[in-house]
Amino acid sequence: GENVEQHPSTLSVQEGDSAVIKCTYSDSASNYFPWYKQELGKRPQLIIDIRSNVGEKKDQRIAVTLNKTAKHFSLHITETQPEDSAVYFCAASRTGGGNKLTFGTGTQLKVEL
Amino acid sequence: NAGVTQTPKFRVLKTGQSMTLLCAQDMNHEYMYWYRQDPGMGLRLIHYSVGEGTTAKGEVPDGYNVSRLKKQNFLLGLESAAPSQTSVYFCASRVGGAGEETQYFGPGTRLLVL
């Protein structure tokens, strides 16, 4: 089955700096890669996703890049703000079989003033 | 439109007791999923359903059963709870079909097994 590894497990940045979280996946058939943000005690919420036919996608201060050859994808947050502090999860899935998501273990992002 | 809801929000069980967690969605989604979330381990899939009357095993199905008798509801059962099942349980649903992969999560159920 799919295996998703996520790094780093914790990340501390100064407000206004950029943050990058990286994930690798093992199943070359995976074609959908979402990123979820989870605040303390809350449900995971989708912030951005990318499909395998696209190399990069951007939405305001967040962007995701995908390298299918190397089987890794990354989340980039620019101009970080205190409200960006949360746990971020990457995930991967393939078409069929329920489109099951396999999640990474999460990155605790702390944006310091 | 309430989205995905879960009942109960919090529960304490003794080892060996049974309980059922309810997930309900009002978005007419075909697919529904049950995950557990443990510290440092992300979300792991327990069981899932691709439509009313269907269920399938996920990554960590042992000790759990599920049923999807109605399209809008997905029930997760623990027949004999164990301390290892202490976790936060999340339900999710999605429309189904190509290009509609986004999963929407419920608020979670926090379960403590003593």
Side-chain angles (χ1 to χ4, degrees):
Chain A
E2 175 68 278
N3 181 51
V4 176
E5 295 190 356
Q6 183 172 347
H7 300 280
S9 56
T10 61
L11 179 59
S12 184
V13 299
Q14 295 293 315
E15 183 180 7
D17 286 350
S18 295
V20 180
I21 303 170
K22 299 181 178 182
C23 290
T24 61
Y25 61 98
S26 61
D27 186 354
S28 57
S30 288
N31 56 4
Y32 175 67
F33 307 92
W35 286 88
Y36 283 84
K37 176 184 180 181
Q38 186 178 29
E39 297 176 348
L40 187 63
K42 304 291 187 181
R43 73 189 78 190
Q45 293 200 303
L46 180 75
I47 56 171
I48 196 168
D49 57 11
I50 192 168
R51 292 173 175 80
S52 58
N53 59 347
V54 177
E56 183 174 0
K57 183 177 179 180
K58 190 174 182 179
D59 183 4
Q60 299 183 0
R61 294 188 298 109
I62 60 173
V64 57
T65 59
L66 171 65
N67 183 326
K68 286 191 296 183
T69 302
K71 289 190 279 189
H72 67 71
F73 56 112
S74 301
L75 177 70
H76 304 253
I77 306 174
T78 59
E79 301 173 19
T80 54
Q81 301 168 1
E83 51 264 38
D84 294 330
S85 296
V87 179
Y88 292 81
F89 292 96
C90 63
S93 71
R94 60 186 297 180
T95 301
N99 294 74
K100 301 182 293 293
L101 284 175
T102 299
F103 284 84
T105 51
T107 296
Q108 174 75 62
L109 174 64
K110 183 177 181 182
V111 180
E112 298 176 335
L113 297 173
Chain B
N1 190 330
V4 182
T5 59
Q6 293 183 232
T7 309
K9 289 183 173 57
F10 176 70
R11 183 77 182 267
V12 178
L13 287 179
K14 294 182 179 178
T15 297
Q17 288 185 320
S18 63
M19 77 164 294
T20 300
L21 284 69
L22 170 64
C23 176
Q25 51 92 7
D26 61 1
M27 299 177 284
N28 200 35
H29 285 176
E30 288 292 334
Y31 290 32
M32 297 185 74
Y33 306 84
W34 274 109
Y35 295 90
R36 61 176 289 171
Q37 184 174 36
D38 302 295
M41 300 188 73
L43 292 103
R44 294 182 292 167
L45 183 65
I46 305 170
H47 286 281
Y48 65 99
S49 168
V50 300
E52 181 178 316
T54 75
T55 63
K57 294 180 179 180
E59 179 186 355
V60 288
D62 294 343
Y64 305 94
N65 56 74
V66 287
S67 64
R68 184 113 181 258
L69 299 179
K70 294 182 178 181
K71 185 177 184 179
Q72 64 268 33
N73 295 337
F74 195 28
L75 280 64
L76 178 71
L78 286 74
E79 291 186 347
S80 179
S84 61
Q85 295 177 304
T86 293
S87 188
V88 180
Y89 292 86
F90 286 99
C91 174
S93 70
R94 59 177 279 255
V95 173
E100 298 285 350
E101 295 93 343
T102 303
Q103 291 188 20
Y104 299 89
F105 283 82
T109 293
R110 193 171 297 272
L111 177 64
L112 174 62
V113 183
L114 301 175

